[in-house]
Amino acid sequence: MAPKEYNVAVAGATGAVGRQMISCLEERNFPVKSIKLLASSRSVGRRLRFNGQEVEVAELTENSFSGVDIALFSAGGGTSKRFAPSAAEHGCVVVDNSSAWRMDPDVPLVVPEVNPLAVAGYPKKHIIANPNCSTIQMVVALNPIHQAYGIKRVVVSTYQAVSGTGLKAIEELTGQTRARMENTPVEKSVYPHQIAFNCLPHIDVFLDNGYTKEEMKMVNETRKIMADEDIQVTATTVRVPVFYGHSEAVNIETRQPVSASEVAALLEKSPGVKVVDDPQNNVYPLPIDAAGKDLTYVGRIRDDESIANGINMWVVADNIRKGAATNTVQIAEILAADYL
Ligand code: 25A
Ligand code: L14
């Protein structure tokens, strides 16, 4: 019998994440029978390549999904809220990269290295959520430590690339950098302040408690993915003038005693992680090295000398690949292999 193949749709195909989803499907040889590339009316008629063929972009509508088995969504939260249910009504399973469905108790929130079995919960809504980019890379590094030593509390500060906000933010950083160097006026439209040569302690919207929505995603999504409501997480999320790759300074307090060398040895053999930690030779994870890769890089692993059972580390991954497109396609692979 020929191996099973699937009719796949990508919603938001022309965006920063959508294009990487198309590349990931190709690179990983996902069993695609047919592909539909969907975006807003602005992009209708544009052509994108998939496996050597030109595919014309069509408008995303309620009727886009008849005959589609798996739809990968990355067209923003509002678009997912509106169109994912119509896709599900057509019998299609949606793997959604927006924040729209992540905390819905009837929607699994999955990082394949951490909770692959949660995919089994998809039939309730026919939607599986892809976590926030900053959360994904953090839990890939935390989960092995949690399984072995029990994590009590995490204090994280992020250094996040502009690509997370989409193509317009990539253009904004490019344009502002050029304007500063050429001494012409710096224009801004995506972020409330200049991002070139600056850091903004502001990602997504501010909430009533004074935190940003991005910070609270790291708290709530971490607990849901690791299936442990007792893990305490507090976050400060910061935008930095980097194109691709989020970095995170992560401080962990464990329940059982642990040392930096034990954590390094554990992470060396953990799935999806690469330890890059030779500070004497100036070797540590960097976003420019992580860009275009699918692993989560961990370095600067040290004992926190201010408390018992404390560890500090530096965690870097490509936010558009492992933080979004790659993780979404990995979820689709589990669906295809075990459920559809
Ligand atoms: O709505 P939100 O939640 O606030 O999300 C805002 C943006 O965040 C990105 C994504 O930007 C999204 O639009 N995004 C969302 N989740 C993300 C994640 N997890 C994420 N980024 C990273 N990680 P993007 O520009 O990279 O991708 C947008 C894609 O979504 C399609 N799209 C948008 N609205 C849609 C829609 N598709 C269907 N129906 C809708 N209503 C979008 O297609 C793209 O594929 P497009 O055709 O709208 O855009 C194609 C080109 O047009 C440029 N462009 C974008 N916005 C405008 C624009 N041009 C003119 N005016 C605009 N307002 C883009 O540069 C793109 O090249
Ligand atoms: O997926 O970097 O929840 O501006 C929304 C904010 C993705 C990153 C999400 C950013 C994020 C995005």
Side-chain angles (χ1 to χ4, degrees), residues 12-17 39-40 42-43 46 60 74-77 79 97 164-168:
T14 54
V17 173
S40 75
R42 282 191 292 272
S43 294
R46 276 178 62 186
L60 171 60
S74 192
T79 310
N97 185 47
T165 317
L167 293 174
K168 288 174 92 182

Side-chain angles (χ1 to χ4, degrees), residues 283-301:
V283 173
Y284 29 72
L286 297 174
I288 58 171
D289 296 333
K293 308 270 175 40
D294 291 323
L295 296 175
T296 296
Y297 298 88
V298 184
R300 301 295 322 281
I301 305 170

Side-chain angles (χ1 to χ4, degrees), residues 75-147:
T79 310
S80 292
K81 269 259 182 286
R82 179 157 165 226
F83 293 103
S86 7
E89 274 169 32
H90 282 94
C92 168
V93 184
V94 174
V95 188
D96 180 42
N97 185 47
S98 80
S99 61
W101 302 97
R102 290 177 188 151
M103 296 311 296
D104 185 319
D106 292 337
V107 172
L109 184 64
V110 178
V111 177
E113 290 84 348
V114 178
N115 62 339
L117 299 178
V119 168
Y122 82 86
K124 284 185 187 152
K125 282 217 162 90
H126 269 231
I127 301 172
I128 301 173
N130 195 68
N132 170 259
C133 38
S134 301
T135 309
I136 291 176
Q137 67 183 68
M138 185 170 77
V139 298
V140 166
L142 287 183
N143 188 58
I145 304 170
H146 187 50
Q147 296 309 319

Side-chain angles (χ1 to χ4, degrees), residues 110-223:
V110 178
V111 177
E113 290 84 348
V114 178
N115 62 339
L117 299 178
V119 168
Y122 82 86
K124 284 185 187 152
K125 282 217 162 90
H126 269 231
I127 301 172
I128 301 173
N130 195 68
N132 170 259
C133 38
S134 301
T135 309
I136 291 176
Q137 67 183 68
M138 185 170 77
V139 298
V140 166
L142 287 183
N143 188 58
I145 304 170
H146 187 50
Q147 296 309 319
Y149 302 98
I151 291 177
K152 192 168 154 192
R153 180 166 184 252
V154 178
V155 182
V156 57
S157 298
T158 69
Y159 305 71
Q160 296 188 216
V162 297
S163 53
T165 317
L167 293 174
K168 288 174 92 182
I170 296 173
E171 288 165 18
E172 182 148 305
L173 175 58
T174 307
Q176 289 181 352
T177 304
R178 182 176 293 122
R180 264 310 297 262
M181 301 317 286
E182 293 174 349
N183 247 319
T184 56
V186 170
E187 286 167 15
K188 52 179 199 278
S189 64
V190 177
Y191 300 122
H193 304 283
Q194 176 183 321
I195 181 60
F197 309 101
N198 208 2
C199 296
L200 313 181
H202 176 182
I203 295 182
D204 211 331
V205 297
F206 281 99
L207 304 172
D208 288 344
N209 66 356
Y211 286 79
T212 61
K213 193 171 166 197
E214 186 82 349
E215 288 161 349
M216 296 314 296
K217 287 175 219 166
M218 295 190 79
V219 175
N220 297 319
E221 294 180 20
T222 297
R223 291 183 180 146

Side-chain angles (χ1 to χ4, degrees), residues 263-295:
V263 167
L266 181 62
L267 292 178
E268 293 274 6
K269 56 183 172 64
S270 296
V273 178
K274 185 163 170 49
V275 175
V276 177
D277 201 7
D278 183 10
Q280 295 308 324
N281 290 306
N282 301 337
V283 173
Y284 29 72
L286 297 174
I288 58 171
D289 296 333
K293 308 270 175 40
D294 291 323
L295 296 175

Side-chain angles (χ1 to χ4, degrees), residues 10-26:
V10 178
T14 54
V17 173
R19 288 169 190 205
Q20 282 297 324
M21 287 173 163
I22 296 166
S23 300
C24 286
L25 290 168
E26 286 177 344

